[in-house]
Amino acid sequence: MSTAPASTTITDVTVYSGRHWLEGRDVVVTDGIVTAIEASRGTAAPSGPNSGRVDGSGAYLIPGFVNTHTHIQQSLMRGIAEGTPLLEWLLAVAEESVLITPEKAYTATVAASLEALRSGTTTLVEHMWPHPSSEVHDAVIRGLRDTGIRALLGRGVGDRSDPTRKWGFDPRLLQPLGDVLAHTDQIMRDVAGSRIDAAVAVPNPRSLTPEGMAQVREFAQARGLTVSIHLLETQTDNMMCTEHAGMGAVEFLDSNDFLWDRVLAVHCVELDDRGQKVLAERGVGVSYNPVSNMRLGSGVAPVPSFLEAGLAVGLGVDGAASNDTQDMLETLRTGAYVQRATRSRADLLGFGVMLDIATGGANSALGLPPRSGGVSVGDAADLTMIRFERDFGCLPVRDPGASILTTGTRQIVDTVLVAGEVVIRDGHSTRVDEVELISALTAL
């Protein structure tokens, strides 16, 4: 398995730093950290897998994307229940989830992680559904390790069962909450010292009782873990919480002290002004998933309003059963365009704003270092190097930022570094045999 050299230099590259494109720079990486951005020395030393040098001439360097929400196992469910609304779609996905095996979970993880890396993603937040098999979780961890991506692995939790998924979760996938939290502790031990961090993943406000919320909150806060929760993807959360608890979804969570600064609220399509104010006051982050919300007909999250309210907003692709890719460049563009269309304003969410959202917008909720304005000294060396000439549909380049936002495809991603290690070179994995992966996927 590949490891990062102690020092790597990306030579003569144009780097986005301080909200500007800086031409002819050498970006020095030491022990997985960007330690210098300096004028290129113009040396002609060879570059290659073992040289400690990456040739950046003619290329553009940006921070790696942080995909704030996905469901890795759904990479084996592309196209499922197409044209159906959320609750009907969830039931179809549940049938596949019940049947997942460790072998399939591993293949799905490698496929989804590699697809993410090949579109410039260096960190993903995996929101696992509750599942009783420790072997399935072990397979996911192994797949994440083998691709080299950085990840928050959310262990699914829930303590209210309902086969309809309206006021609870699929009972076939639930376990006693104490057992789930003990397993989460085991995951923390298993991933210690790696690029993977444990997290907690709550399906939605309907899947935890007030007693369960208290137990999960105490557990997560004591360990400094992120809690990811689907919230108001549609009005179902509000309708069910009102029917069963006598209040809306945000009030239900807040009245049970289940909103704090390490909570990541996913979707928030139906989050109103009052809800935005509450989430902002509690320091909650939001994961914006525009392509999935469009595919399932859920609507459009009011992201400009979120930003005005002071919410920390990150970008997510969601699982490949509702997107149906892991392509962050596609999501970057769609996320900007749909906001412009719904507000009839072409000046919304330009490259700089979208890049900040996509590379560090919700980092506070994820427990990751802050990142904005591009590549900076002191950042983790999670970096994406782009060559527009890899896709002639992106040429000519008038403004590299505009070109990334308006024409960028995964084909232009040439090199990706995670913690200073080159995990994608010339558009392909340095760790995974892609021919074997294609054979495994084709055989399913």
Side-chain angles (χ1 to χ4, degrees), residues 97-399:
S97 299
V98 167
L99 298 174
I100 196 74
T101 64
E103 294 76 20
K104 287 184 177 180
Y106 175 79
T107 300
T109 301
V110 173
S113 300
L114 182 51
E115 184 185 3
L117 285 165
R118 288 176 64 172
S119 73
T121 300
T122 52
T123 299
L124 59 82
V125 181
E126 164 59 2
H127 186 115
M128 289 190 73
W129 283 19
H131 200 287
S133 169
S134 59
E135 290 81 8
V136 164
H137 291 84
D138 292 343
V140 171
I141 291 170
R142 185 160 54 89
L144 293 169
R145 286 183 187 272
D146 285 355
T147 59
I149 199 164
R150 197 183 298 278
L152 269 72
L153 175 58
R155 208 300 185 184
V157 302
D159 72 337
R160 180 187 284 122
S161 67
D162 179 0
T164 72
R165 295 290 303 273
K166 292 180 179 179
W167 187 242
F169 197 75
D170 191 323
R172 294 171 296 176
L173 295 169
L174 290 178
Q175 297 169 273
L177 191 53
D179 292 351
V180 172
L181 298 180
H183 183 231
T184 307
D185 272 333
Q186 182 59 54
I187 290 174
M188 291 182 67
R189 291 189 289 270
D190 291 343
V191 302
S194 73
R195 295 176 190 168
I196 306 167
D197 288 314
V200 177
V202 181
N204 49 57
R206 300 169 275 128
S207 297
L208 275 179
T209 63
E211 296 77 16
M213 287 189 212
Q215 196 172 349
V216 171
R217 181 187 67 247
E218 180 181 357
F219 177 88
Q221 289 182 338
R223 292 157 179 79
L225 301 184
T226 291
V227 175
S228 174
I229 181 170
H230 297 90
L231 178 62
L232 292 169
E233 186 170 358
T234 66
Q235 278 292 354
T236 299
D237 284 340
N238 272 338
M239 291 188 296
M240 291 296 102
C241 288
T242 299
E243 177 181 338
H244 293 276
M247 61 190 79
V250 171
E251 187 179 358
F252 180 55
L253 293 173
D254 197 36
S255 67
N256 287 286
D257 295 325
F258 207 73
L259 298 173
W260 68 96
D261 60 2
R262 290 299 298 276
V263 171
L264 179 72
V266 181
H267 298 302
C268 296
V269 172
E270 297 291 346
L271 185 66
D272 60 18
D273 291 347
R274 182 176 178 279
Q276 292 172 36
K277 184 174 184 292
V278 171
L279 263 60
E281 288 175 349
R282 305 294 181 266
V284 173
V286 172
S287 173
Y288 170 42
N289 293 254
V291 176
S292 172
N293 297 153
M294 294 167 68
R295 203 272 221 189
L296 293 174
S298 302
V300 179
V303 171
S305 298
F306 293 170
L307 297 174
E308 289 176 9
L311 281 164
V313 180
L315 191 65
V317 300
D318 211 342
S322 65
N323 182 299
D324 290 4
T325 77
Q326 297 293 285
D327 188 342
M328 277 286 277
L329 282 164
E330 176 186 62
T331 301
L332 186 82
R333 175 163 53 255
T334 303
Y337 283 6
V338 71
Q339 298 295 334
R340 297 177 185 185
T342 56
R343 287 164 175 75
S344 302
R345 284 185 55 187
D347 62 337
L348 288 175
L349 301 183
F351 169 74
V353 174
M354 285 304 298
L355 188 71
D356 281 353
I357 289 173
T359 61
N363 278 12
S364 56
L366 303 178
L368 298 175
R371 188 166 209 168
S372 64
V375 180
S376 300
V377 172
D379 287 348
D382 297 351
L383 305 167
T384 294
M385 193 171 79
I386 285 169
R387 292 191 181 276
F388 291 106
E389 65 271 21
R390 293 175 61 89
D391 183 350
F392 67 84
C394 298
L395 299 174
V397 177
R398 299 173 181 271
D399 172 335

